[in-house]
Amino acid sequence: GPGILTRTLLNAGVRVVALESNSAFLPNLQSLENSLDGQLKVIYGDFFRLDPLVTGTVKPPAVCSDELFETVGVRAVPWSEGVPVKIFGILPQRKERSILWRLLFALYECSSIYRYGRVELNIFISEKEYKVLTAKPGDVRAYQALTVLWQVGCEIQLLHMEPWSSFVTNLKSRGLAVPKSRWLPNDHLCLVRLTPRQSLFTGGLKRTNSATFVFMVKQCLAKPRSRLTDRLNSWSLDSGGKLLRALEIPKNAETRSLYPEDYRRLFEALQNSSVFTEIWFHDEVLESIKNIHL
């Protein structure tokens, strides 16, 4: 990016580790690093190419999270403790949605950066994706599986909205344009704080079954106008109506009408169902894990 976040953090007196993916910019950054008496550390790398799914040696600017965190002195802490490190960045627009999904899978798996605890992300994302992350049930255009899973997993806080015009010069220099959005407003970049919930892995949701939860939500919202009872019946759950009554969910409820916490309650109830653990659903989960980062 244009260095806005780095300059702001340095001016605030924060110790900064800057990942720079363009080797042409490294000399000037390294010169700045040498003048700041330890406040800035510069590493050749790309945070959004963290932990690539490759075999063998990882070639820069791709980087492995364990090597990166060891280099900067970040140690893993229990999930119940505070935030071990805060990450700031601007999501590349062309890969924005896929990066949000990849980070989400890492969160629920406690893999990559989340092996170190509840890592806080402070990232600029497009306004349209911010609207998706914070959508409410029933919103036809914005309420999606991505919405439910991020809201269950993290506290989402809007820190700042900046017009695209502030970034347009830098975007043009990189051959990019302001992304278009047909259905959702997209006039700004939004600085959003994503802090993993301390209570995420409590109750029936655990690291070991979180992939099943992710898959369940994706399946339910693949057709957001479908009735939840129809989805439960497709999983061979003859007692779906009884389950919904116990959860005080209307039997004719559409999948897009459930709140994120309702999906969590539904999942936990299903985990306590002996029928659920024996149906084909789990085979589908295992198959989906093969493509979990796509």
Side-chain angles (χ1 to χ4, degrees), residues 29-288:
L29 278 170
Q30 289 166 342
S31 177
L32 180 62
E33 176 184 14
N34 293 333
S35 69
L36 290 177
D37 193 28
Q39 187 187 357
L40 173 66
K41 182 176 183 61
V42 178
I43 296 175
Y44 179 41
D46 185 347
F47 177 79
F48 299 112
R49 293 179 61 188
L50 203 64
D51 298 320
L53 299 176
V54 298
T55 56
T57 304
V58 174
K59 297 181 179 180
V63 62
C64 292
S65 57
D66 55 351
E67 295 178 1
L68 172 63
F69 281 20
E70 182 178 352
T71 298
V72 302
V74 174
R75 296 181 178 180
V77 300
W79 196 263
S80 58
E81 294 190 9
V83 172
V85 65
K86 299 181 179 183
I87 295 173
F88 290 79
I90 302 175
L91 261 62
Q93 290 303 301
R94 288 177 178 174
K95 300 179 180 179
E96 187 176 31
R97 176 57 67 97
S98 63
I99 290 172
L100 285 170
W101 270 112
R102 202 162 68 239
L103 288 168
L104 188 66
F105 284 125
L107 170 65
Y108 279 91
E109 292 177 329
C110 287
S111 62
S112 189
I113 60 174
Y114 297 107
R115 285 187 287 115
Y116 291 81
R118 295 188 299 117
V119 172
E120 178 186 286
L121 297 178
N122 299 269
I123 51 177
F124 271 108
I125 62 176
S126 66
E127 186 176 0
K128 63 183 177 67
E129 292 296 354
Y130 168 70
K131 293 295 185 182
V132 169
L133 295 192
T134 56
K136 301 298 183 182
D139 189 327
V140 178
R141 296 169 179 171
Y143 197 68
Q144 304 170 19
L146 198 68
T147 311
V148 170
L149 293 168
W150 272 112
Q151 289 186 23
V152 169
C154 287
E155 297 176 15
I156 303 173
Q157 180 182 1
L158 177 64
L159 301 179
H160 181 67
M161 296 180 71
E162 187 70 22
W164 277 105
S165 57
S166 299
F167 298 86
V168 74
T169 300
N170 183 260
L171 287 170
K172 289 181 177 179
S173 70
R174 293 169 179 256
L176 301 177
V178 176
K180 303 298 181 182
S181 176
R182 183 178 180 183
W183 301 115
L184 297 172
N186 197 35
D187 300 320
H188 302 80
L189 272 177
C190 298
L191 181 59
V192 179
R193 175 173 293 159
L194 301 170
T195 308
R197 297 186 186 277
Q198 192 174 22
S199 61
L200 178 58
F201 299 111
T202 57
L205 181 59
K206 307 179 186 303
R207 295 170 177 84
T208 52
N209 62 21
S210 61
T212 307
F213 175 64
V214 171
F215 185 76
M216 184 200 78
V217 173
K218 290 183 70 177
Q219 284 285 297
C220 285
L221 286 164
K223 295 181 179 180
R225 293 182 179 180
S226 63
R227 294 192 310 166
L228 187 59
T229 51
D230 294 337
R231 176 56 66 187
L232 293 176
N233 290 336
S234 74
W235 296 337
S236 302
L237 283 172
D238 296 331
S239 59
K242 180 179 179 181
L243 180 65
L244 293 183
R245 285 194 298 273
L247 295 173
E248 298 182 343
I249 296 173
K251 65 178 182 179
N252 292 324
E254 294 182 349
T255 57
R256 67 181 176 188
S257 69
L258 267 68
Y259 282 84
E261 54 266 32
D262 290 331
Y263 274 107
R264 175 162 184 157
R265 291 193 304 121
L266 175 62
F267 174 75
E268 292 179 340
L270 288 170
Q271 287 296 303
N272 293 326
S273 167
S274 59
V275 177
F276 181 70
T277 60
E278 297 171 358
I279 59 177
W280 61 267
F281 187 86
H282 283 265
D283 294 331
E284 294 290 325
V285 172
L286 293 174
E287 181 64 26
S288 72

